[in-house]
Amino acid sequence: MTISQNPTFDTFQGLFNEAEFVYRHLGSNETKQADLLSTIGYKDMASFINDTVPEPVRLHKDLDLPLAMSEHAALAKLRAMADNITVNKSYIGQGYSPVRMPAVIQRNVLENPGWYTAYTPYQAEIAQGRLEALLNFQQVCIDLTGLEMAGASLLDEATAAAEAMAMSKRVSKSKSNQFFVDDRIYPQTLDVINTRAKYFGWEVVVGDFETAKSGDYFGALFQYVGVEGDVKDLTDVIAAVKKNKTYVSVVSDIMSLVLLKSPADMGADVALGSTQRFGIPMGFGGPHAAYFAFSDKAKRSAPGRIIGVSKDSQGNTALRMALQTREQHIRREKANSNICTSQVLLANLAGMYAVYHGPGGVKRIATRIHAFATAFANVIREANDSNLSVVHDQFFDTVVIDCGSEKLATQIFENADNVGYNLWRLDDNKLCVAFSETSDQQDFTVLTQLFVSKSHDLPETASLSLDSAHLRTDDILTHPVFNTHHTEHEMLRYLKSLEDKDLAMNRSMISLGSCTMKLNATSEMLPITWPEFANVHPFAPRDQVTGYIDMIDSLQDQLKAITGFDDVSMQPNSGASGEYAGLLAIRRYHESLGETNRDVCLIPMSAHGTNPATAMMMGMQVVVVKTDENGNVDIEDLTAKCEEHSANLGALMITYPSTHGVFEEGIRHICDLIHKHGGQVYMDGANMNAQVGMMQPADVGADVLHMNLHKTFCIPHGGGGPGMGPIGMKAHLAPFMANHTLSPVHNAQKDCSAVSAAPYGSASILPISWMYIAMMGRDGLLKATELALLNANYVAAQLKDHYPVLYAGKNGRVAHECIIDIRPLKEETGISESDIAKRLMDYGFHSPTMSFPVAGTLMIEPTESESKEELDRFISALKSIKAEAMKAKAGEDNWTLEDNPLVNAPHTAAMVTNSEWTHPYSRDVAAFPLPYVRAHKFWPSVARIDDAYGDKNLMCSCPSIENYM
């Protein structure tokens, strides 16, 4: 916002300026917007919008939302909700534990936009810091599980277990259709497994070890440590089931593996679990990074992303995402899974926890946790109270006490609550006490008094009760990275060195189409580290979390007002999970009508790339619908396929505006056509930043929609996660939203199983979106949409004479993103979209989305947060790159198509300062192609990476330190 040098204010409304945040969020003020409009031929915003957004979809009324609030007022309102949350000391366990995040990591990673505003590391040359952090995370998982390989995180423990089930079916040689689950599993994990198994058509068998040994299963899943905290050696049962060709996965407590024998030593094929205990707050359920480790032979069947070691064009070690051809938007309906399911920021935090503490530090913490539990169990045993008994002899952190009667168990449980401690009620007579990293002397004194009516001090000697047969004997975390950065100074510098290798939003715009990389404002981020939002257990008593539920309900109301839907489910903890939850509600609805046969899912070629994979995961038959030359759904083809599949039509998955960047005129007709044939319309919310305040999905005919809170509603991408993907539903679908076995979700039916481990997904990041909507208010949200559309059309208009704009609406306007076609340039010069992406790094920019949804193109989404000046810099870069390509083609100044700045990009500082410069273009052209670059130079830390080398020589563990020298 441009502020006059001599402002005059004659009202208090002007002096308070409650809508100030709106203009902090928008990149261009009204004067600059007028310039943008003029450039593309419009006098005002209204006429531009009339030409851009089809009249039939327009919402000609205000959203039912309050006006904008100032930053301090919104924070104060949220603070009042937080004050209505009771943060008891949590001894609940059940897969979630209190932790201490090292302050140096909280300040310099979690609270640092250099880390949280970065995008998924598809452009590896400018993501080496994040990739190294993820490689560290993988190494932690490899070391602790004993397996050969590990991925770079999944969403949560429960969905990782479901992915293990699916992977077992892919790789198992058994012909069985049954999957065995240990009856010692966490209930929330079983809940998600049951959801996933049903629509794959698999039978889940829950039982004890004897049931596992005697059955015929394609896969088996064991819990280590069990739901009651019991530690059992799984070696024999794993050996027995593997004789039947059963593929074996083990869910393991990551902190317990510091002490316990590894899953690999017991014969497991896969190990998985949550890394929440490595310094990540409970956050009422998330976000938390799940780990997934596996054998080398299973690497092409494993879900999720894998970071691998490769080389760059100069022969230096360089990291990249390996085996990217497994990506769901490339393989579509043939994908292994929908792998937009990572929690990169949380994986970075967990990996850095291990880096900071090192092997000695994590062993001290794990040993202290177990010693606390042992000392507590000893007090119970030595009390000689006939009512109390310790149920299990072998445990890690959780002691289960049988109180002998329901009355005594209730009394202890309630007394604990009264003095600020949450225990877990296992059944009528049994209580769980789960110790953690934060347990201290005072806790021990209080807990012992609660159970034996006499307080005890911690004994002087810390003893272990685990049998030596359960303990690991091998070394862990031996790589130098885990043995170097243990002082805060060294850790601070290590984190800074990694941050400096990455291009994030705090440096320049990231114009990725369909990914909506917009401002993640500081005031939105502040509340996520408030103790009330960070330190609450997802299964805490509801009367302690009234303020949390109020905040979630308030956000649901905001989203209902924006979308027009009757209800919203907050459980899906990613966009991919939202897609799954939306189709799940549709399938359950059809089942309720006795129409289980409705399993055909129509998906236009212009839909979001993750859709086909999700439909396949829901057991649906994917039928692709053609698009016309303008990027719209081919109505004739859609009509024919509706008629062909009318009896079995379940759903249409449509992205609006389309992934081609077009507002389709016929969206209402499309929805009507699907309904006529008995189907439901699932709208993908990937492009919702073009809708807010402008139209409502429910109004145009959608039955369900997922909303990417990490796109339209400002939760940061975090380098490839976290995210949230709540779904809005019409009233007839609302009863079929995901419920939760331990913490029921209001409005959901009792028999509707879960899609995520926690009832409200990654609840701790929901305040970000609440703050955004509150501070933008009714009118500000509409302004954001208008400017997002204007910025995209400005970019398209400025570039169209240099690169063909592939699709547009009937008035020549694009939606919030545009696709520029590189194929003619490649045909003329040999310069590819990949060359342009790499050369943009030399100009200080991250590439737009490359070769999606159309091969050989770049998809650009500038968002409303970018200023005209930043847009102009980006436009200048792309124009300059086109000129460079033509210069190489013409052979000017001895440039050739084989040796020019594009094919050699990106240029590192080492390349440019090398004494042997043999290229026909100058060092200045390589490093500083436009004047603005010199003042704000970002140097890629590696040269162009050899993707093929990395896949042929796959290595996903930390290389020796010499490789980086």
Side-chain angles (χ1 to χ4, degrees):
M1 181 175 65
T2 302
I3 299 175
S4 169
Q5 295 297 315
N6 297 293
T8 57
F9 302 109
D10 53 10
T11 66
F12 272 103
Q13 183 178 1
L15 289 168
F16 279 117
N17 195 18
E18 292 295 317
E20 181 179 14
F21 176 79
V22 175
Y23 300 98
R24 303 286 187 194
H25 176 81
L26 301 179
S28 295
N29 62 18
E30 291 179 1
T31 302
K32 291 295 175 66
Q33 289 181 37
D35 291 344
L36 295 168
L37 287 163
S38 176
T39 301
I40 61 175
Y42 292 93
K43 293 182 178 179
D44 54 49
M45 183 68 78
S47 57
F48 162 71
I49 293 298
N50 286 338
D51 269 4
T52 304
V53 184
E55 176 60 29
V57 308
R58 293 284 299 279
L59 179 70
H60 291 291
K61 63 178 182 179
D62 291 333
L63 293 176
D64 185 17
L65 288 172
L67 296 175
M69 299 176 69
S70 66
E71 294 179 59
H72 68 270
L75 284 166
K77 186 170 183 179
L78 196 61
R79 178 73 260 170
M81 295 184 203
D83 288 343
N84 207 19
I85 301 171
T86 300
V87 187
N88 271 8
K89 291 214 169 188
S90 181
Y91 278 78
I92 293 173
Q94 302 301 300
Y96 301 89
S97 297
V99 297
R100 291 193 179 99
M101 179 184 291
V104 65
I105 296 175
Q106 176 174 321
R107 174 64 61 86
N108 295 286
V109 180
L110 178 61
E111 297 174 351
N112 181 353
W115 286 89
Y116 67 69
T117 69
Y119 182 62
T120 307
Y122 290 118
Q123 296 295 334
E125 292 85 352
I126 50 176
Q128 289 295 295
R130 222 168 330 132
L131 289 165
E132 184 174 331
L134 289 173
L135 200 68
N136 293 344
F137 173 82
Q138 291 180 176
Q139 186 68 61
V140 172
C141 303
I142 289 168
D143 280 12
L144 293 179
T145 65
L147 287 156
E148 297 166 291
M149 305 192 79
S153 80
L154 294 174
L155 283 179
D156 59 30
E157 182 167 297
T159 53
E163 292 287 4
M165 174 177 62
M167 178 177 171
S168 297
K169 188 63 174 173
R170 290 194 293 272
V171 303
S172 175
K173 296 179 181 178
S174 169
K175 302 296 184 182
S176 169
N177 206 43
Q178 291 186 322
F179 183 73
F180 172 82
V181 177
D182 186 351
D183 59 11
R184 299 158 57 254
I185 199 83
Y186 287 128
Q188 67 269 23
T189 304
L190 180 60
D191 205 17
V192 174
I193 287 173
N194 282 331
T195 304
R196 196 76 67 90
K198 176 178 179 179
Y199 294 98
F200 277 130
W202 304 328
E203 181 185 351
V204 176
V205 177
V206 181
D208 59 15
F209 288 179
E210 290 307 310
T211 306
K213 293 176 183 177
S214 61
D216 179 19
Y217 311 104
F218 67 81
L221 183 75
F222 296 96
Q223 184 86 40
Y224 181 66
V225 182
V227 67
E228 293 189 9
D230 55 315
V231 174
K232 294 187 178 181
D233 194 319
L234 303 174
T235 305
D236 291 343
V237 67
I238 289 176
V241 300
K242 289 181 80 168
K243 287 181 180 178
N244 293 329
K245 301 179 182 178
T246 301
Y247 201 71
V248 178
S249 303
V250 174
V251 188
S252 305
D253 178 329
I254 192 78
M255 186 62 79
S256 75
L257 292 183
V258 175
L259 299 183
L260 296 178
K261 183 161 56 174
S262 74
D265 278 350
M266 295 186 290
D269 298 302
V270 169
L272 62 102
S274 172
T275 59
Q276 185 262 315
R277 297 193 81 154
F278 271 34
I280 314 299
M282 291 182 290
F284 204 42
H288 307 132
Y291 71 89
F292 198 95
F294 44 91
S295 63
D296 177 78
K297 65 183 178 182
K299 59 180 175 281
R300 294 186 183 275
S301 297
R305 298 183 175 123
I306 303 171
I307 307 307
V309 181
S310 187
K311 293 185 180 298
D312 72 1
S313 63
Q314 306 300 298
N316 300 312
T317 297
L319 311 178
R320 58 183 285 276
M321 283 173 54
L323 304 177
Q324 288 189 44
T325 52
R326 301 173 315 130
E327 288 275 2
Q328 78 293 326
H329 64 258
I330 296 170
R331 303 195 71 219
R332 292 174 71 84
E333 66 271 13
K334 295 177 180 149
N336 287 338
S337 64
N338 189 331
I339 72 165
C340 282
T341 51
S342 61
Q343 296 284 15
V344 170
L345 182 63
L346 291 308
N348 289 340
L349 292 168
M352 289 305 169
Y353 179 92
V355 169
Y356 190 51
H357 286 296
V362 294
K363 188 171 184 180
R364 179 184 292 109
I365 293 166
T367 304
R368 185 174 73 237
I369 292 168
H370 175 60
F372 257 107
T374 298
F376 179 74
N378 289 340
V379 168
I380 302 298
R381 293 191 185 103
E382 294 164 5
N384 293 321
D385 187 331
S386 60
N387 293 313
L388 301 175
S389 61
V390 176
V391 175
H392 301 290
D393 291 330
Q394 295 294 291
F395 50 79
F396 169 61
D397 64 337
T398 300
V399 182
V400 176
I401 300 105
D402 190 329
C403 299
S405 71
E406 183 179 350
K407 181 179 178 182
L408 181 57
T410 300
Q411 181 183 342
I412 295 171
F413 186 83
E414 291 178 351
N415 287 344
D417 184 13
N418 291 336
V419 294
Y421 286 75
N422 287 343
L423 309 180
W424 185 247
R425 189 80 178 259
L426 192 64
D427 60 28
D428 288 345
N429 294 356
K430 294 174 187 171
L431 296 176
C432 291
V433 183
F435 290 85
S436 71
E437 178 184 4
T438 66
S439 298
D440 58 22
Q441 167 69 61
Q442 180 185 356
D443 292 353
F444 190 81
T445 301
V446 172
L447 290 166
T448 52
Q449 185 166 20
L450 284 168
F451 279 87
V452 300
S453 302
K454 178 185 177 183
S455 63
H456 288 66
D457 292 333
L458 275 174
E460 188 172 329
T461 301
S463 60
L464 306 185
S465 55
L466 284 164
D467 290 344
S468 59
H470 290 311
L471 300 177
R472 70 187 309 148
T473 57
D474 55 325
D475 293 328
I476 59 170
L477 306 180
T478 57
H479 190 273
V481 74
F482 303 113
N483 294 276
T484 306
H485 311 291
H486 298 160
T487 69
E488 181 161 335
H489 226 156
E490 286 301 316
M491 189 66 183
L492 184 68
R493 288 168 177 164
Y494 179 57
L495 293 173
K496 181 62 177 173
S497 72
L498 297 187
E499 180 193 349
D500 286 347
K501 295 178 181 179
D502 281 20
L503 188 69
M505 292 278 284
N506 61 337
R507 292 185 185 270
S508 61
M509 72 181 288
I510 298 180
S511 61
L512 287 145
S514 206
C515 291
T516 316
M517 302 292 290
K518 62 203 290 183
L519 173 69
N520 313 122
T522 308
S523 288
E524 296 158 8
M525 300 298 294
L526 287 175
I528 68 170
T529 53
W530 291 355
E532 296 84 358
F533 290 129
N535 297 335
V536 176
H537 195 289
F539 308 149
R542 281 300 172 92
D543 61 355
Q544 295 177 11
V545 295
T546 304
Y548 230 128
I549 300 301
D550 287 346
M551 183 272 294
I552 293 170
D553 286 346
S554 178
L555 179 56
Q556 285 177 309
D557 288 341
Q558 291 172 333
L559 296 175
K560 284 189 283 187
I562 289 167
T563 62
F565 286 107
D566 300 302
D567 213 337
V568 171
S569 169
M570 304 302 294
Q571 189 173 121
N573 52 4
S574 75
S577 181
E579 291 180 19
Y580 187 86
L583 285 188
L584 177 64
I586 289 173
R587 294 222 66 184
R588 285 172 171 170
Y589 169 71
H590 287 312
E591 289 166 4
S592 75
L593 300 176
E595 298 181 329
T596 56
N597 56 297
R598 290 195 172 274
D599 63 355
V600 170
C601 187
L602 303 180
I603 303 181
M605 294 178 68
S606 58
H608 201 240
T610 58
N611 292 172
T614 301
M616 292 298 291
M617 290 169 66
M618 279 303 307
M620 301 188 82
Q621 175 189 347
V622 173
V623 175
V624 178
V625 179
K626 297 176 184 176
T627 54
D628 65 23
E629 61 183 11
N630 295 316
N632 298 304
V633 173
D634 185 323
I635 299 298
E636 185 178 334
D637 188 52
L638 176 66
T639 302
K641 283 170 177 167
C642 280
E643 291 173 354
E644 179 185 353
H645 299 284
S646 184
N648 300 312
L649 181 59
L652 167 77
M653 296 185 82
I654 189 166
T655 304
Y656 198 82
S658 73
T659 306
H660 291 161
V662 177
F663 280 106
E664 303 202 33
E665 298 277 339
I667 184 64
R668 287 185 184 273
H669 173 65
I670 289 169
C671 293
D672 289 343
L673 186 60
I674 299 301
H675 292 147
K676 174 184 172 183
H677 288 274
Q680 295 285 291
V681 176
Y682 166 90
M683 187 176 283
D684 188 302
N687 295 342
M688 199 179 167
N689 208 48
Q691 294 184 10
V692 180
M694 194 72 62
M695 58 166 285
Q696 288 184 319
D699 175 60
V700 300
D703 298 291
V704 60
L705 165 105
H706 93 261
M707 295 161 259
N708 295 102
L709 299 190
H710 51 288
K711 294 184 182 182
T712 304
F713 298 104
C714 290
I715 290 176
H717 278 66
M724 275 289 278
I727 58 170
M729 297 157 288
K730 287 188 173 172
H732 64 283
L733 292 182
F736 306 104
M737 73 173 76
N739 206 335
H740 195 276
T741 186
L742 293 177
S743 184
V745 176
H746 72 87
N747 291 351
Q749 294 185 149
K750 188 174 182 180
D751 60 348
C752 287
S753 53
V755 297
S756 301
Y760 297 103
S762 297
S764 69
I765 54 177
L766 294 178
I768 301 170
S769 296
W770 186 94
M771 284 290 295
Y772 171 69
I773 296 170
M775 292 188 298
M776 292 297 284
R778 181 193 73 194
D779 299 337
L781 290 169
L782 177 59
K783 289 179 184 295
T785 304
E786 290 173 340
L787 187 52
L789 296 171
L790 177 57
N791 281 351
N793 278 276
Y794 175 74
V795 170
Q798 294 288 75
L799 291 177
K800 66 180 181 180
D801 292 336
H802 303 268
Y803 305 91
V805 175
L806 201 53
Y807 301 113
K810 72 176 185 179
N811 297 315
R813 302 268 67 92
V814 299
H816 67 309
E817 60 192 10
C818 65
I819 298 175
I820 59 173
D821 196 349
I822 311 302
R823 291 171 296 185
L825 180 66
K826 184 176 181 179
E827 186 175 344
E828 184 177 1
T829 67
I831 297 299
S832 69
E833 68 280 3
S834 180
D835 295 327
I836 294 173
K838 303 309 179 188
R839 182 57 171 157
L840 273 169
M841 299 175 190
D842 290 330
Y843 287 79
F845 285 108
H846 193 291
S847 170
T849 305
M850 189 172 68
S851 286
F852 172 79
V854 180
T857 65
L858 295 174
M859 182 164 59
I860 303 167
E861 181 181 352
T863 86
E864 74 275 11
S865 295
E866 299 303 338
S867 67
K868 181 178 182 298
E869 291 78 9
E870 184 74 353
L871 298 180
D872 286 339
R873 282 189 285 270
F874 176 72
I875 291 163
S876 296
L878 281 174
K879 289 180 178 179
S880 177
I881 288 171
K882 172 69 179 293
E884 289 177 339
M886 301 313 293
K887 183 173 180 177
K889 179 201 172 190
E892 294 179 28
D893 297 332
N894 296 319
W895 287 25
T896 66
L897 293 176
E898 295 72 35
D899 191 358
N900 60 70
L902 287 87
V903 297
N904 294 326
H907 297 83
T908 65
M911 291 169 65
V912 172
T913 57
N914 192 315
S915 59
E916 296 182 10
W917 183 261
T918 59
H919 304 295
Y921 55 95
S922 70
R923 300 171 196 260
D924 252 22
V925 166
F928 309 112
L930 287 175
Y932 75 82
V933 179
R934 190 177 296 276
H936 303 283
K937 179 63 182 176
F938 172 79
W939 291 99
S941 56
V942 297
R944 192 174 302 200
I945 294 174
D946 187 335
D947 291 334
Y949 178 91
D951 281 353
K952 289 176 183 175
N953 304 276
L954 185 60
M955 174 182 174
C956 71
S957 55
C958 294
S960 66
I961 202 71
E962 289 78 12
N963 288 63
Y964 292 105
M965 292 181 176

